[in-house]
Amino acid sequence: MTAITDIPDAPRAARRPQIGNPVLRWLRTNLFSSIPNGILSVVLLAVLGKGIFSFVQWGIANAVWLTPTNDSSACKAVRGLGACWAIIPEKYRFVLFGTYPFDEQWRPALSVLLFIALFYLSSRRALWRRELAYLWIGALTFISVLMWGGVLGLSFVSQDRWGGLPVTLILATFGLAFGFPLGILVALGRRSKLPAIRSLSVLYVELIRGVPLVSLLFMASVMFPLFMPSGFNIDKLLRAQVAIILFAGAYLAEVIRGGLQAVPRGQYEAADALGLSYWRKHRLIVLPQAIRHVIPPLVNTFIAFFKDTSLVLIIGIFDLLTTAKTAIIDPAWQQFSVEVYIFVAAIYFVFCFAMSRYSRSLEAHAASR
């Protein structure tokens, strides 16, 4: 008879059952694995606890939440000891919608809700069909009607009165919606075998990336009208939008070019062997793989551009941050700017965190395929 021996299928330590509280085991492994790590963890936890305790005292326990209309005396009484959150209900409409006519501010509010709904629907992969593009076109047309008015019984509101969150969403949405396909075309142009197209693409990228966005906005606002015929004028918001699109296109082109270089050469050769045309090869085979490789830097670029829309204040456009700064000019509330900036920071954080979480879901979906 042949002796049967036990062949271990895993190290004995791995088969040993884990004994003890899982929380204590996690703390021992991650925070107190050695004496230096334990000391550093205790110091950091103490600093973090002190910061949280101070913020709770300032922001909750001693805070003033409501005051009579335009009366900041209660806030001044606790200044330095507690937050004055009463400034938010007092100034939130100006912060969110700027100088848009007060009685018509339901129109920009509805526009913001439509933007959020479009973003949510676009994040559902099951809805990635041609009908979604038609929905975007229809919704953006309806948003334009809401914001401008002049039809359907709505009073006309010029773009000079627009401000706050709708302007930030308009600049970011259109900047990325048009900048992304522009970046794809420029990235393909940089890899083109035609010297003229490749040279123009390189010149565009290096020229735009070589100057800050502020200078592009300044040129679009001040220099560009000087080259236009007499009497011909383009709206300031549109000029800023074009500058943001060009800036976004240059940066996205470099991100996408990195993804194109990560696609194995065999994929190109296989597409050529199938007899696919240049555009079908890139649309069906190359670009999907390239974009999958660069999802993290793409989303990082999107988040950066969403925050960079605040730079339009340099040319006098009232985006969300600019309206917040203007709201605290009121002498009665001028001392409580921190609370307004926290409110605006929370809005930026919500949008940026949503983009970050969505990118992680895209990465997980791509990795599972």
Side-chain angles (χ1 to χ4, degrees):
M1 296 179 62
T2 305
I4 301 177
T5 59
D6 293 329
I7 301 176
D9 55 354
R12 182 171 300 177
R15 299 197 308 269
R16 185 179 302 148
Q18 299 291 333
I19 303 174
N21 190 302
V23 176
L24 294 178
R25 189 166 59 246
W26 183 90
L27 291 174
R28 189 181 303 112
T29 303
N30 295 278
L31 300 182
F32 302 99
S33 58
S34 63
I35 294 179
N37 286 346
I39 295 174
L40 183 60
S41 298
V42 170
V43 172
L44 292 178
L45 289 173
V47 173
L48 182 62
K50 179 64 170 62
I52 293 175
F53 178 75
S54 300
F55 181 81
V56 169
Q57 276 194 318
W58 176 82
I60 298 177
N62 300 328
V64 176
W65 299 91
L66 290 174
T67 61
T69 304
N70 206 30
D71 182 8
S72 60
S73 57
C75 289
K76 292 178 181 178
V78 298
R79 186 169 183 268
L81 300 175
C84 179
W85 300 118
I87 192 176
I88 304 304
E90 184 69 28
K91 298 293 184 181
Y92 80 97
R93 294 187 68 164
F94 185 85
V95 172
L96 293 179
F97 308 122
T99 59
Y100 205 91
F102 190 83
D103 294 335
E104 301 289 332
Q105 286 184 357
W106 63 269
R107 291 156 55 179
L110 181 57
S111 299
V112 170
L113 292 178
L114 287 174
F115 269 120
I116 295 175
L118 288 173
F119 297 152
Y120 175 77
L121 293 176
S122 300
S123 67
R124 306 293 94 186
R125 284 185 289 270
L127 300 178
W128 288 358
R129 299 191 297 269
R130 184 177 302 176
E131 291 78 4
L132 182 61
Y134 297 150
L135 178 62
W136 267 92
I137 295 173
L140 292 178
T141 302
F142 184 62
I143 290 173
S144 301
V145 171
L146 280 175
M147 294 296 294
W148 264 302
V151 294
L152 302 177
L154 299 174
S155 59
F156 176 77
V157 180
S158 66
Q159 287 180 325
D160 295 335
R161 303 290 303 275
W162 298 9
L165 186 56
V167 169
T168 296
L169 292 178
I170 288 171
L171 292 173
T173 302
F174 283 96
L176 296 175
F178 289 96
F180 186 69
L182 176 62
I184 291 177
L185 292 177
V186 174
L188 294 175
R190 291 202 65 169
R191 295 170 58 86
S192 174
K193 297 180 181 179
L194 301 177
I197 295 178
R198 185 170 62 252
S199 300
L200 287 175
S201 300
V202 171
L203 177 64
Y204 164 72
V205 170
E206 299 302 329
L207 180 64
I208 298 297
R209 282 165 53 96
V211 296
L213 178 57
V214 171
S215 52
L216 288 178
L217 292 170
F218 179 78
M219 292 182 64
S221 177
V222 179
M223 302 296 295
F224 182 74
L226 300 178
F227 297 95
M228 293 293 99
S230 178
F232 182 80
N233 186 32
I234 299 178
D235 185 81
K236 181 167 57 177
L237 182 62
L238 179 59
R239 297 199 300 267
Q241 185 71 81
V242 172
I244 291 176
I245 290 172
L246 294 176
F247 192 76
Y251 276 83
L252 291 172
E254 288 298 278
V255 175
I256 295 169
R257 186 168 69 93
L260 292 173
Q261 291 178 336
V263 177
R265 187 63 190 170
Q267 298 293 317
Y268 293 88
E269 296 172 352
D272 293 333
L274 292 173
L276 297 178
S277 64
Y278 177 85
W279 293 110
R280 285 177 61 85
K281 174 177 67 176
H282 283 84
R283 181 172 63 89
L284 299 176
I285 296 178
V286 178
L287 280 175
Q289 298 182 64
I291 293 174
R292 190 180 302 125
H293 286 306
V294 293
I295 288 176
L298 273 179
V299 176
N300 183 58
T301 306
F302 291 166
I303 292 174
F305 285 133
F306 180 76
K307 294 182 293 185
D308 284 346
T309 54
S310 61
L311 295 175
V312 295
L313 67 90
I314 196 69
I315 57 176
I317 295 178
F318 278 55
D319 73 304
L320 180 60
L321 185 59
T322 309
T323 54
K325 291 180 178 180
T326 308
I328 56 178
I329 293 178
D330 187 349
W333 301 96
Q334 198 170 19
Q335 301 172 341
F336 309 104
S337 58
V338 173
E339 290 82 348
V340 175
Y341 287 134
I342 291 176
F343 174 65
V344 172
I347 295 175
Y348 276 107
F349 174 78
V350 168
F351 282 96
C352 294
F353 183 72
M355 285 189 279
S356 177
R357 295 293 299 178
Y358 180 61
S359 72
R360 292 183 62 179
S361 68
L362 282 180
E363 290 181 73
H365 177 73
S368 64
R369 297 180 62 181

